[in-house]
Short mmCIF file of all heavy atoms in Angstrom, two decimals:
data_model
loop_
_atom_site.label_atom_id
_atom_site.label_comp_id
_atom_site.label_asym_id
_atom_site.label_seq_id
_atom_site.Cartn_x
_atom_site.Cartn_y
_atom_site.Cartn_z
N TYR A 32 77.72 52.85 -19.61
CA TYR A 32 78.14 51.47 -19.94
C TYR A 32 79.48 51.57 -20.68
O TYR A 32 79.56 52.11 -21.80
CB TYR A 32 77.07 50.78 -20.82
CG TYR A 32 77.40 49.36 -21.19
CD1 TYR A 32 77.02 48.30 -20.31
CD2 TYR A 32 78.07 49.07 -22.35
CE1 TYR A 32 77.28 47.01 -20.68
CE2 TYR A 32 78.35 47.72 -22.69
CZ TYR A 32 77.94 46.72 -21.85
OH TYR A 32 78.26 45.41 -22.17
N LEU A 33 80.54 51.09 -20.03
CA LEU A 33 81.92 51.27 -20.56
C LEU A 33 82.15 50.34 -21.78
O LEU A 33 82.02 49.17 -21.68
CB LEU A 33 82.91 50.97 -19.43
CG LEU A 33 84.39 51.13 -19.78
CD1 LEU A 33 84.66 52.57 -20.29
CD2 LEU A 33 85.23 50.78 -18.55
N LEU A 34 82.50 50.96 -22.88
CA LEU A 34 82.80 50.24 -24.12
C LEU A 34 84.30 50.02 -24.32
O LEU A 34 84.79 48.94 -24.68
CB LEU A 34 82.19 50.96 -25.33
CG LEU A 34 80.68 51.09 -25.38
CD1 LEU A 34 80.30 52.01 -26.48
CD2 LEU A 34 80.10 49.70 -25.56
N GLU A 35 85.04 51.09 -24.10
CA GLU A 35 86.52 51.02 -24.27
C GLU A 35 87.17 51.94 -23.23
O GLU A 35 86.65 52.96 -22.84
CB GLU A 35 86.93 51.50 -25.70
CG GLU A 35 86.54 50.61 -26.80
CD GLU A 35 86.99 51.17 -28.16
OE1 GLU A 35 87.83 52.11 -28.16
OE2 GLU A 35 86.55 50.65 -29.18
N GLY A 36 88.38 51.54 -22.75
CA GLY A 36 89.10 52.35 -21.81
C GLY A 36 88.99 51.85 -20.39
O GLY A 36 88.47 50.75 -20.15
N GLU A 37 89.39 52.71 -19.48
CA GLU A 37 89.34 52.33 -18.01
C GLU A 37 88.84 53.53 -17.22
O GLU A 37 89.03 54.69 -17.58
CB GLU A 37 90.74 51.95 -17.54
CG GLU A 37 91.29 50.66 -18.12
CD GLU A 37 92.61 50.22 -17.48
OE1 GLU A 37 93.16 50.99 -16.65
OE2 GLU A 37 93.13 49.17 -17.88
N VAL A 38 88.25 53.19 -16.07
CA VAL A 38 87.88 54.23 -15.09
C VAL A 38 88.49 53.90 -13.78
O VAL A 38 88.75 52.65 -13.46
CB VAL A 38 86.33 54.32 -14.94
CG1 VAL A 38 85.69 54.76 -16.27
CG2 VAL A 38 85.72 53.04 -14.46
N SER A 39 88.66 54.87 -12.92
CA SER A 39 89.15 54.68 -11.55
C SER A 39 87.99 54.78 -10.62
O SER A 39 87.16 55.72 -10.71
CB SER A 39 90.19 55.81 -11.26
OG SER A 39 90.45 55.80 -9.85
N VAL A 40 87.85 53.78 -9.74
CA VAL A 40 86.79 53.81 -8.74
C VAL A 40 87.42 54.04 -7.38
O VAL A 40 88.33 53.38 -6.97
CB VAL A 40 86.09 52.42 -8.68
CG1 VAL A 40 85.02 52.39 -7.60
CG2 VAL A 40 85.47 52.06 -10.03
N LYS A 41 86.89 55.07 -6.67
CA LYS A 41 87.38 55.45 -5.34
C LYS A 41 86.21 55.48 -4.41
O LYS A 41 85.34 56.32 -4.54
CB LYS A 41 88.09 56.82 -5.40
CG LYS A 41 88.82 57.13 -4.11
CD LYS A 41 89.62 58.47 -4.28
CE LYS A 41 90.38 58.82 -3.02
NZ LYS A 41 91.10 60.09 -3.20
N VAL A 42 86.18 54.50 -3.44
CA VAL A 42 85.14 54.47 -2.46
C VAL A 42 85.51 55.28 -1.22
O VAL A 42 84.74 56.06 -0.67
CB VAL A 42 84.80 53.03 -2.07
CG1 VAL A 42 83.79 52.96 -0.96
CG2 VAL A 42 84.32 52.22 -3.29
N HIS A 43 86.74 55.14 -0.76
CA HIS A 43 87.21 55.87 0.38
C HIS A 43 88.60 56.47 0.05
O HIS A 43 88.73 57.55 -0.47
CB HIS A 43 87.25 55.04 1.64
CG HIS A 43 87.65 55.78 2.88
ND1 HIS A 43 86.95 56.85 3.35
CD2 HIS A 43 88.69 55.59 3.73
CE1 HIS A 43 87.53 57.30 4.45
NE2 HIS A 43 88.60 56.60 4.70
N LYS A 44 89.67 55.72 0.28
CA LYS A 44 91.02 56.20 -0.03
C LYS A 44 91.62 55.41 -1.19
O LYS A 44 92.39 55.91 -1.99
CB LYS A 44 91.91 56.09 1.23
CG LYS A 44 91.52 57.04 2.33
CD LYS A 44 92.48 56.92 3.51
CE LYS A 44 92.12 57.88 4.66
NZ LYS A 44 93.01 57.71 5.79
N LYS A 45 91.29 54.10 -1.20
CA LYS A 45 91.86 53.26 -2.28
C LYS A 45 91.22 53.56 -3.65
O LYS A 45 90.01 53.70 -3.76
CB LYS A 45 91.62 51.77 -1.88
CG LYS A 45 92.21 50.77 -2.93
CD LYS A 45 91.68 49.39 -2.69
CE LYS A 45 92.33 48.75 -1.47
NZ LYS A 45 91.99 47.32 -1.35
N GLU A 46 92.04 53.56 -4.69
CA GLU A 46 91.58 53.68 -6.06
C GLU A 46 91.87 52.42 -6.83
O GLU A 46 92.98 51.91 -6.76
CB GLU A 46 92.29 54.88 -6.77
CG GLU A 46 91.81 56.24 -6.27
CD GLU A 46 92.28 57.37 -7.14
OE1 GLU A 46 91.95 57.36 -8.36
OE2 GLU A 46 92.99 58.23 -6.64
N VAL A 47 90.86 51.88 -7.52
CA VAL A 47 91.00 50.65 -8.31
C VAL A 47 90.47 50.92 -9.71
O VAL A 47 89.46 51.55 -9.92
CB VAL A 47 90.20 49.51 -7.63
CG1 VAL A 47 90.25 48.28 -8.54
CG2 VAL A 47 90.73 49.21 -6.24
N SER A 48 91.26 50.45 -10.75
CA SER A 48 90.88 50.65 -12.13
C SER A 48 90.00 49.48 -12.60
O SER A 48 90.30 48.32 -12.35
CB SER A 48 92.10 50.77 -13.00
OG SER A 48 92.74 51.99 -12.77
N LEU A 49 88.94 49.78 -13.35
CA LEU A 49 88.07 48.80 -13.95
C LEU A 49 87.99 49.07 -15.42
O LEU A 49 87.97 50.24 -15.86
CB LEU A 49 86.68 48.80 -13.35
CG LEU A 49 86.56 48.51 -11.83
CD1 LEU A 49 85.10 48.58 -11.39
CD2 LEU A 49 87.12 47.08 -11.56
N ASP A 50 88.00 48.02 -16.23
CA ASP A 50 87.98 48.17 -17.72
C ASP A 50 86.66 47.67 -18.31
O ASP A 50 86.56 47.51 -19.53
CB ASP A 50 89.17 47.49 -18.36
CG ASP A 50 89.20 46.01 -18.09
OD1 ASP A 50 88.24 45.46 -17.45
OD2 ASP A 50 90.17 45.33 -18.51
N SER A 51 85.63 47.46 -17.48
CA SER A 51 84.35 47.05 -18.00
C SER A 51 83.29 47.34 -16.96
O SER A 51 83.58 47.59 -15.79
CB SER A 51 84.36 45.55 -18.34
OG SER A 51 84.54 44.76 -17.18
N GLY A 52 82.03 47.30 -17.38
CA GLY A 52 80.93 47.42 -16.43
C GLY A 52 80.06 48.67 -16.66
O GLY A 52 80.31 49.48 -17.52
N THR A 53 79.05 48.77 -15.84
CA THR A 53 78.18 49.95 -15.81
C THR A 53 78.49 50.78 -14.57
O THR A 53 79.01 50.29 -13.60
CB THR A 53 76.68 49.52 -15.78
OG1 THR A 53 76.48 48.71 -14.61
CG2 THR A 53 76.28 48.75 -16.98
N PHE A 54 78.08 52.07 -14.64
CA PHE A 54 78.33 52.98 -13.55
C PHE A 54 77.18 53.99 -13.50
O PHE A 54 76.53 54.21 -14.53
CB PHE A 54 79.69 53.75 -13.69
CG PHE A 54 80.82 52.82 -13.86
CD1 PHE A 54 81.25 52.38 -15.13
CD2 PHE A 54 81.50 52.26 -12.76
CE1 PHE A 54 82.30 51.48 -15.29
CE2 PHE A 54 82.56 51.37 -12.90
CZ PHE A 54 82.93 51.00 -14.18
N GLY A 55 76.90 54.56 -12.31
CA GLY A 55 75.81 55.49 -12.20
C GLY A 55 74.47 54.84 -11.82
O GLY A 55 73.40 55.47 -11.92
N GLU A 56 74.49 53.56 -11.43
CA GLU A 56 73.26 52.87 -11.09
C GLU A 56 72.52 53.46 -9.88
O GLU A 56 71.32 53.23 -9.70
CB GLU A 56 73.54 51.38 -10.75
CG GLU A 56 74.28 50.62 -11.87
CD GLU A 56 75.76 50.64 -11.66
OE1 GLU A 56 76.25 51.50 -10.88
OE2 GLU A 56 76.46 49.86 -12.26
N TRP A 57 73.24 54.30 -9.09
CA TRP A 57 72.60 55.00 -8.00
C TRP A 57 71.40 55.83 -8.47
O TRP A 57 70.39 55.97 -7.74
CB TRP A 57 73.62 55.97 -7.32
CG TRP A 57 74.92 55.36 -6.95
CD1 TRP A 57 76.06 55.26 -7.71
CD2 TRP A 57 75.24 54.75 -5.66
NE1 TRP A 57 77.05 54.60 -6.99
CE2 TRP A 57 76.59 54.33 -5.77
CE3 TRP A 57 74.58 54.59 -4.47
CZ2 TRP A 57 77.24 53.68 -4.72
CZ3 TRP A 57 75.17 53.95 -3.43
CH2 TRP A 57 76.50 53.52 -3.55
N SER A 58 71.46 56.30 -9.73
CA SER A 58 70.41 57.14 -10.29
C SER A 58 69.09 56.38 -10.36
O SER A 58 68.00 57.01 -10.29
CB SER A 58 70.76 57.70 -11.63
OG SER A 58 71.01 56.64 -12.53
N TRP A 59 69.12 55.08 -10.52
CA TRP A 59 67.87 54.26 -10.64
C TRP A 59 67.06 54.35 -9.37
O TRP A 59 65.83 54.20 -9.40
CB TRP A 59 68.21 52.80 -10.93
CG TRP A 59 68.75 52.54 -12.30
CD1 TRP A 59 68.62 53.36 -13.42
CD2 TRP A 59 69.51 51.44 -12.74
NE1 TRP A 59 69.24 52.79 -14.50
CE2 TRP A 59 69.83 51.57 -14.12
CE3 TRP A 59 69.98 50.26 -12.12
CZ2 TRP A 59 70.53 50.69 -14.86
CZ3 TRP A 59 70.71 49.34 -12.86
CH2 TRP A 59 70.97 49.54 -14.21
N PHE A 60 67.71 54.58 -8.25
CA PHE A 60 67.05 54.55 -6.97
C PHE A 60 67.11 55.93 -6.25
O PHE A 60 66.80 56.01 -5.08
CB PHE A 60 67.65 53.48 -6.11
CG PHE A 60 67.85 52.14 -6.79
CD1 PHE A 60 69.11 51.78 -7.25
CD2 PHE A 60 66.77 51.34 -7.04
CE1 PHE A 60 69.29 50.60 -7.89
CE2 PHE A 60 66.96 50.12 -7.75
CZ PHE A 60 68.20 49.76 -8.19
N SER A 61 67.50 56.94 -7.03
CA SER A 61 67.65 58.31 -6.46
C SER A 61 68.45 58.30 -5.21
O SER A 61 68.18 59.02 -4.20
CB SER A 61 66.25 58.92 -6.18
OG SER A 61 65.50 59.01 -7.38
N MET A 62 69.56 57.60 -5.25
CA MET A 62 70.46 57.48 -4.07
C MET A 62 71.73 58.28 -4.33
O MET A 62 72.30 58.18 -5.43
CB MET A 62 70.87 55.99 -3.80
CG MET A 62 69.74 55.12 -3.36
SD MET A 62 70.19 53.35 -3.36
CE MET A 62 71.53 53.35 -2.12
N PRO A 63 72.20 59.06 -3.36
CA PRO A 63 73.47 59.75 -3.51
C PRO A 63 74.61 58.73 -3.60
O PRO A 63 74.65 57.75 -2.91
CB PRO A 63 73.61 60.59 -2.17
CG PRO A 63 72.24 60.67 -1.68
CD PRO A 63 71.53 59.41 -2.08
N SER A 64 75.54 59.04 -4.50
CA SER A 64 76.68 58.12 -4.71
C SER A 64 77.62 58.06 -3.49
O SER A 64 77.83 59.05 -2.83
CB SER A 64 77.45 58.60 -5.93
OG SER A 64 78.77 58.08 -5.97
N GLU A 65 78.20 56.88 -3.29
CA GLU A 65 79.22 56.69 -2.25
C GLU A 65 80.58 56.46 -2.87
O GLU A 65 81.47 55.87 -2.24
CB GLU A 65 78.83 55.51 -1.36
CG GLU A 65 77.57 55.71 -0.49
CD GLU A 65 77.77 56.74 0.56
OE1 GLU A 65 78.92 57.00 0.97
OE2 GLU A 65 76.73 57.26 1.04
N GLU A 66 80.76 56.86 -4.15
CA GLU A 66 82.02 56.62 -4.84
C GLU A 66 82.29 57.75 -5.85
O GLU A 66 81.38 58.55 -6.15
CB GLU A 66 81.90 55.29 -5.63
CG GLU A 66 80.79 55.36 -6.66
CD GLU A 66 80.53 53.96 -7.25
OE1 GLU A 66 81.23 53.04 -7.02
OE2 GLU A 66 79.48 53.88 -8.03
N LYS A 67 83.55 57.86 -6.24
CA LYS A 67 83.93 58.79 -7.27
C LYS A 67 84.47 58.04 -8.45
O LYS A 67 85.36 57.16 -8.31
CB LYS A 67 85.06 59.73 -6.72
CG LYS A 67 85.50 60.79 -7.72
CD LYS A 67 86.53 61.69 -7.09
CE LYS A 67 87.04 62.76 -8.05
NZ LYS A 67 88.06 63.69 -7.46
N ILE A 68 83.92 58.26 -9.62
CA ILE A 68 84.28 57.57 -10.87
C ILE A 68 84.95 58.54 -11.80
O ILE A 68 84.38 59.54 -12.23
CB ILE A 68 83.08 56.92 -11.55
CG1 ILE A 68 82.24 56.06 -10.55
CG2 ILE A 68 83.51 56.11 -12.73
CD1 ILE A 68 83.01 54.86 -10.07
N THR A 69 86.21 58.22 -12.19
CA THR A 69 87.02 59.12 -13.00
C THR A 69 87.64 58.29 -14.13
O THR A 69 88.08 57.20 -13.93
CB THR A 69 88.17 59.72 -12.20
OG1 THR A 69 87.64 60.33 -10.99
CG2 THR A 69 88.92 60.81 -12.96
N VAL A 70 87.66 58.90 -15.34
CA VAL A 70 88.33 58.27 -16.47
C VAL A 70 89.83 58.25 -16.21
O VAL A 70 90.44 59.25 -15.94
CB VAL A 70 88.04 58.99 -17.80
CG1 VAL A 70 88.82 58.40 -18.94
CG2 VAL A 70 86.52 58.95 -18.12
N SER A 71 90.46 57.02 -16.25
CA SER A 71 91.86 56.91 -15.90
C SER A 71 92.72 56.57 -17.10
O SER A 71 93.92 56.75 -17.06
CB SER A 71 92.07 55.83 -14.84
OG SER A 71 91.54 54.61 -15.22
N SER A 72 92.14 56.11 -18.22
CA SER A 72 92.91 55.86 -19.44
C SER A 72 92.95 57.16 -20.23
O SER A 72 92.24 58.10 -19.95
CB SER A 72 92.22 54.74 -20.25
OG SER A 72 90.84 55.03 -20.48
N PRO A 73 93.76 57.19 -21.30
CA PRO A 73 93.83 58.46 -22.12
C PRO A 73 92.48 58.94 -22.55
O PRO A 73 92.20 60.16 -22.60
CB PRO A 73 94.71 58.04 -23.29
CG PRO A 73 95.62 56.97 -22.74
CD PRO A 73 94.77 56.20 -21.73
N GLU A 74 91.58 58.05 -22.83
CA GLU A 74 90.20 58.33 -23.11
C GLU A 74 89.32 57.09 -22.91
O GLU A 74 89.88 55.97 -22.86
CB GLU A 74 89.98 58.92 -24.52
CG GLU A 74 90.37 57.93 -25.67
CD GLU A 74 90.13 58.58 -27.02
OE1 GLU A 74 90.18 59.80 -27.11
OE2 GLU A 74 89.95 57.77 -27.96
N ALA A 75 88.07 57.29 -22.70
CA ALA A 75 87.18 56.12 -22.49
C ALA A 75 85.86 56.40 -23.23
O ALA A 75 85.35 57.51 -23.22
CB ALA A 75 86.94 55.91 -20.98
N MET A 76 85.32 55.30 -23.86
CA MET A 76 84.09 55.44 -24.63
C MET A 76 82.95 54.72 -23.86
O MET A 76 83.11 53.60 -23.36
CB MET A 76 84.29 54.83 -26.01
CG MET A 76 83.09 55.01 -26.95
SD MET A 76 83.28 54.06 -28.47
CE MET A 76 84.76 54.86 -29.15
N PHE A 77 81.78 55.36 -23.81
CA PHE A 77 80.65 54.81 -23.11
C PHE A 77 79.39 54.89 -23.94
O PHE A 77 79.23 55.83 -24.79
CB PHE A 77 80.39 55.65 -21.82
CG PHE A 77 81.51 55.67 -20.85
CD1 PHE A 77 82.50 56.64 -21.00
CD2 PHE A 77 81.53 54.82 -19.74
CE1 PHE A 77 83.57 56.65 -20.08
CE2 PHE A 77 82.54 54.85 -18.84
CZ PHE A 77 83.59 55.80 -18.99
N TYR A 78 78.44 53.95 -23.73
CA TYR A 78 77.09 54.18 -23.95
C TYR A 78 76.54 55.04 -22.80
O TYR A 78 76.79 54.70 -21.62
CB TYR A 78 76.24 52.91 -24.00
CG TYR A 78 76.32 52.08 -25.25
CD1 TYR A 78 76.39 50.69 -25.18
CD2 TYR A 78 76.20 52.69 -26.52
CE1 TYR A 78 76.44 49.94 -26.36
CE2 TYR A 78 76.26 51.93 -27.67
CZ TYR A 78 76.38 50.54 -27.57
OH TYR A 78 76.48 49.78 -28.72
N VAL A 79 75.89 56.16 -23.08
CA VAL A 79 75.39 57.02 -22.01
C VAL A 79 73.89 57.10 -22.11
O VAL A 79 73.33 57.44 -23.16
CB VAL A 79 76.03 58.47 -22.10
CG1 VAL A 79 75.48 59.32 -20.98
CG2 VAL A 79 77.54 58.38 -22.04
N PHE A 80 73.21 56.74 -21.01
CA PHE A 80 71.81 56.68 -20.93
C PHE A 80 71.17 57.67 -19.91
O PHE A 80 71.87 57.91 -18.87
CB PHE A 80 71.29 55.28 -20.53
CG PHE A 80 71.68 54.17 -21.45
CD1 PHE A 80 72.87 53.52 -21.28
CD2 PHE A 80 70.79 53.75 -22.44
CE1 PHE A 80 73.27 52.49 -22.06
CE2 PHE A 80 71.15 52.65 -23.21
CZ PHE A 80 72.38 52.08 -23.03
N GLU A 81 70.04 58.19 -20.16
CA GLU A 81 69.22 58.76 -19.08
C GLU A 81 68.82 57.62 -18.17
O GLU A 81 68.64 56.48 -18.66
CB GLU A 81 67.95 59.44 -19.60
CG GLU A 81 68.25 60.62 -20.53
CD GLU A 81 68.81 61.82 -19.73
OE1 GLU A 81 68.52 61.89 -18.53
OE2 GLU A 81 69.53 62.62 -20.37
N PRO A 82 68.70 57.82 -16.82
CA PRO A 82 68.50 56.66 -15.95
C PRO A 82 67.31 55.78 -16.32
O PRO A 82 67.47 54.55 -16.35
CB PRO A 82 68.22 57.39 -14.57
CG PRO A 82 69.01 58.65 -14.68
CD PRO A 82 68.94 59.09 -16.16
N GLN A 83 66.15 56.36 -16.70
CA GLN A 83 65.02 55.49 -17.02
C GLN A 83 65.06 55.05 -18.50
O GLN A 83 64.33 54.12 -18.84
CB GLN A 83 63.73 56.33 -16.74
CG GLN A 83 63.59 56.67 -15.28
CD GLN A 83 63.70 55.49 -14.36
OE1 GLN A 83 63.12 54.43 -14.59
NE2 GLN A 83 64.51 55.66 -13.30
#
Side-chain angles (χ1 to χ4, degrees):
Y32 182 87
L33 182 57
L34 296 170
E35 292 180 12
E37 292 186 358
V38 298
S39 167
V40 178
K41 190 175 182 181
V42 176
H43 184 60
K44 294 181 179 178
K45 180 193 286 188
E46 290 191 57
V47 176
S48 288
L49 297 179
D50 60 5
S51 63
T53 57
F54 305 91
E56 304 92 344
W57 307 90
S58 61
W59 290 339
F60 314 103
S61 299
M62 294 169 62
S64 160
E65 294 290 341
E66 60 190 352
K67 181 178 180 179
I68 308 294
T69 308
V70 174
S71 57
S72 55
E74 61 181 25
M76 184 187 299
F77 300 86
Y78 281 138
V79 180
F80 299 86
E81 296 292 333
Q83 297 308 312

